[in-house]
Amino acid sequence: MSLASQMLEFFRRRSKAVLGGGEKAIEKQVAMGKLTARERIMTLLDADSFHEYDLFVEHKCNDFNMDKKQLPADGVITGTGKISGFPVCIFAQDFTVAGGSLGLMHARKITKIMDHAMKLGLPLIGINDSGGARIQEGVNSLAGYGEIFFRNTQASGVIPQISVILGPCAGGAVYSPALTDFVFVVDKISKMFITGPEVIKTVLGEEISMEDLGGARVQTEITGNAHFFAHSETECFDQIKKLVTFIPWNNRKKPDAFPPRPPKAQYDIEKIIPVNPRQPYDVRDLIRSLCDDSDFFEIQEHWAANIVIGFARLNGETVGIVGNQPLVLAGVLDVDSSDKAARFIRFCDAFNIPLITLVDLPGYLPGVDQEHAGVIRHGAKILYAYSEATVPKVTVILRKAYGGGYIAMCSRHLGADFVFAWPTAEIAVMGPEGAANLIFRSEIATADDPDAMRQAKVQEYTEKFANPYIAAANGHVDAVIGPRETREFLIHSIEISRDKQETRPQRKHGIPPF
Ligand code: HXC
């Protein structure tokens, strides 16, 4: 064969493979408001940066007439590329080819790019649009998912793993994302479930739509499985592009530093917290008043909103911020907010991102529902995560820091490097009213005027404990600082902690209260 005809054959084969499931299947995909797998990669990555591998991989299944079916690229596109110059490994499942279902060779393509990501120390981005294990391939497709889960787990804490859900994803196509660090979903396009509506109808006789079962809103507002919600695929890709600017390529690196910028003048730190300690405020405004350009990149915004987590920069350096949110449930810790914070703390610790904790909470949420939902076990996760973390940890107590909440929110006792308190801080075992009612119960009951006595005792307790000075006198707080000094104290603390070294006992691994 001449070179010219060899080239023709090559172009013919390549264009056929690149077309995926064919024009009709692509039309169906587009009609659903979805980009194709290839368009997704091209939209997310820098222009001309994508290098594709394994385009000609084919499935090897002969059962159920599969020997007569050609599945271009075996339904998944894999390769390497760049996002704003940041190198990444990437795969995108192609729903137009057998519903993006995962057979053994499809899985092998994914595990190969995962192995590259691990060896090269690069983030892995997985675009999932798949009906899960390919039914015709039986145990071989299950094996494929098992091999992916194994690698997701090995890669955890070594390279950042980002999952994007862009279609109806079932079974393994949601369990692999669940093992990764960040899950992105898009309104009306993303669906995540272990078993789809058809199986639910067959087994349980219940009818439910895919959207109500596991749509983007369900996964970001109710379950907490997804971390970022977008209205369109392009908005979702913009979110990913922003996320990668805050994180390092791997756990041996630090995030890239950016030019320092002051916070925007509209966020005046002294005007955010109300004078009345019972009045709520939005802790995100406080974060914006502290960080560079007032740019706070919030994670899991719509779930467990009583705690706020996300990335920001201080003097150009990435920091992870955890703050109680007085606007929601007075900022208490509960089952979900503990899970949310603990996972984020572990991400920051694994990837060399200093932690800033902003404290204002009345404690853990009391009640039968929380106790029965396991608040002891879940609440312990945040204690574990902060105690385990060795990245620089800086805490600012703004207002209330009561009881277990005081300890849990990165107190000195859990290893904070620096603890600062505002003059408005109230550090006590519980709020003055509750405390006075308990410890002065008999004095109040036997007083001529119980209400006056209660008020006097509340006042006495407030003066004694509801301030930062006893904690400061005992060294539990390093400095009492004014709101306007806070940014400078934070920047200084992070700057001088750059070479912080802290060791933990030698062990195979700890046993966190999963
Ligand atoms: C083989 C599949 C498939 C699968 C979809 N297809 N899922 N082929 N194996 N798992 C094929 C369909 O036959 C169809 O082919 C094409 O993909 C498009 O699927 P539709 O059903 O027409 O699309 P839609 O109505 O949008 O529904 C999508 C869906 C549904 C919700 C994902 O297809 C579905 O429920 N699939 C099965 C989901 C599932 O139970 N998977 C196994 C999970 S177990 P044609 O040729 O008609 O176009 C698992 C093991 C790991 O993953 C467990 C981890 C712990």
Side-chain angles (χ1 to χ4, degrees):
M1 219 190 264
S2 69
L3 179 62
S5 49
Q6 278 174 336
M7 288 307 287
L8 266 179
E9 171 65 6
F10 159 66
F11 285 125
R12 191 190 63 74
R13 279 175 183 254
R14 191 165 72 173
S15 359
K16 193 159 177 248
V18 162
L19 206 56
E23 274 160 16
K24 261 198 172 159
I26 291 175
E27 272 167 28
K28 205 173 152 195
Q29 173 94 346
V30 173
M32 286 190 278
K34 295 159 71 178
L35 297 174
T36 66
R38 216 160 272 282
E39 285 168 342
R40 286 168 174 166
I41 290 180
M42 299 308 162
T43 314
L44 178 58
L45 299 189
D46 295 349
D48 301 323
S49 74
F50 182 55
H51 289 71
E52 182 170 357
Y53 315 120
D54 290 335
L55 176 65
F56 296 117
V57 163
E58 289 175 7
H59 75 81
K60 310 221 179 309
C61 177
N62 294 322
D63 299 319
F64 305 105
N65 289 329
M66 285 291 281
D67 47 339
K68 298 188 189 72
K69 276 197 185 160
Q70 272 201 326
L71 302 182
D74 206 26
V76 62
I77 300 166
T78 60
T80 50
K82 289 184 181 173
I83 297 177
S84 312
F86 192 102
V88 294
C89 291
I90 190 163
F91 72 83
Q93 294 177 309
D94 185 350
F95 196 79
T96 67
V97 179
S101 59
L102 180 137
L104 188 62
M105 295 312 288
H106 176 127
R108 291 270 151 86
K109 284 182 68 170
I110 294 177
T111 53
K112 192 167 162 187
I113 202 70
M114 293 176 88
D115 290 342
H116 274 313
M118 281 289 276
K119 273 188 278 187
L120 306 178
L122 299 181
L124 177 79
I125 299 180
I127 300 179
N128 298 266
D129 189 358
S130 164
R134 188 174 295 154
I135 295 161
Q136 298 90 327
E137 294 201 32
V139 67
N140 276 341
S141 49
L142 298 180
Y145 264 127
E147 288 168 16
I148 292 172
F149 300 160
F150 181 80
R151 281 165 178 79
N152 284 137
T153 307
Q154 303 314 308
S156 179
V158 181
I159 51 167
Q161 299 183 81
I162 295 168
S163 295
V164 198
I165 309 292
L166 290 181
C169 288
V174 293
Y175 265 126
S176 170
L179 290 167
T180 65
D181 303 314
F182 300 106
V183 177
F184 289 75
V185 290
V186 174
D187 198 18
K188 306 209 170 59
I189 288 178
S190 312
K191 277 100 189 167
M192 302 172 73
F193 34 76
I194 300 303
T195 46
E198 278 189 38
V199 177
I200 291 181
K201 194 172 170 197
T202 312
V203 178
L204 302 171
E206 289 170 13
E207 292 221 28
I208 185 158
S209 70
M210 274 202 242
E211 191 64 35
D212 289 342
L213 181 61
R217 285 187 190 277
V218 170
Q219 301 299 357
T220 40
E221 292 170 16
I222 299 176
T223 66
N225 287 330
H227 301 78
F228 295 95
F229 174 92
H231 295 92
S232 67
E233 295 198 23
T234 39
E235 188 192 347
C236 170
F237 296 146
D238 286 343
Q239 290 171 342
I240 297 170
K241 287 176 193 176
K242 182 151 185 179
L243 171 68
V244 299
T245 68
F246 286 105
I247 59 178
W249 299 357
N250 59 55
N251 67 341
R252 302 185 302 277
K253 281 183 164 303
K254 289 188 176 185
D256 284 344
F258 278 63
R261 284 166 181 271
K264 290 184 177 150
Q266 76 199 72
Y267 297 101
D268 181 348
I269 196 160
E270 285 191 342
K271 296 206 175 123
I272 293 166
I273 300 201
V275 180
N276 178 355
R278 289 169 181 277
Q279 228 176 305
Y281 60 93
D282 190 339
V283 73
R284 292 172 300 188
D285 288 338
L286 191 91
I287 295 168
R288 291 185 188 109
S289 75
L290 288 168
C291 64
D292 287 18
D293 212 21
S294 301
D295 184 10
F296 176 52
F297 188 62
E298 190 172 355
I299 301 166
Q300 287 178 309
E301 180 185 348
H302 306 286
W303 179 66
N306 40 327
I307 207 154
V308 165
I309 57 171
F311 296 120
R313 289 191 185 89
L314 280 174
N315 217 28
E317 305 276 351
T318 296
V319 290
I321 298 187
V322 180
N324 308 117
Q325 174 58 291
L327 270 189
V328 180
L329 292 171
V332 287
L333 281 174
D334 59 3
V335 166
D336 288 345
S337 60
S338 301
D339 280 9
K340 174 174 162 180
R343 197 165 189 270
F344 179 66
I345 293 161
R346 296 194 98 203
F347 180 88
C348 291
D349 189 42
F351 290 101
N352 313 310
I353 298 173
L355 280 160
I356 307 284
T357 303
L358 302 173
V359 187
D360 187 353
L361 83 165
Y364 279 91
L365 180 62
V368 178
D369 287 350
Q370 282 293 306
E371 297 291 348
H372 288 189
V375 71
I376 297 173
R377 180 164 49 88
H378 293 280
K381 292 179 193 175
I382 192 166
L383 306 175
Y384 193 103
Y386 270 131
S387 304
E388 171 190 54
T390 56
V391 286
K393 297 186 283 193
V394 188
T395 302
V396 185
I397 302 172
L398 307 166
R399 242 173 26 172
K400 300 185 195 72
Y402 294 161
Y406 157 72
I407 308 170
M409 291 303 291
C410 203
S411 59
R412 155 70 22 82
H413 326 295
L414 300 190
D417 298 298
F418 297 100
V419 180
F420 306 121
W422 282 10
T424 44
E426 302 173 24
I427 305 169
V429 174
M430 62 174 71
E433 280 81 10
N437 280 339
L438 269 173
I439 57 179
F440 302 116
R441 186 184 290 154
S442 59
E443 281 106 316
I444 293 170
T446 55
D448 293 339
D449 183 346
D451 279 344
M453 177 62 89
R454 180 178 296 109
Q455 281 314 313
K457 292 298 180 189
V458 167
Q459 187 62 23
E460 188 183 330
Y461 188 87
T462 304
E463 276 162 24
K464 176 88 179 143
F465 283 116
N467 63 64
Y469 302 108
I470 294 181
N474 285 285
H476 304 318
V477 160
D478 298 304
V480 180
I481 60 173
R484 286 218 192 283
E485 296 169 289
T486 308
R487 178 172 152 92
E488 200 278 317
F489 265 82
L490 291 177
I491 289 174
H492 178 74
S493 310
I494 299 296
E495 195 183 345
I496 61 169
S497 307
R498 197 163 288 147
D499 291 327
K500 177 189 172 188
Q501 283 192 331
E502 194 172 344
T503 52
R504 293 285 182 260
Q506 280 291 320
R507 57 183 164 183
K508 188 172 174 188
H509 55 69
I511 301 153
F514 279 169

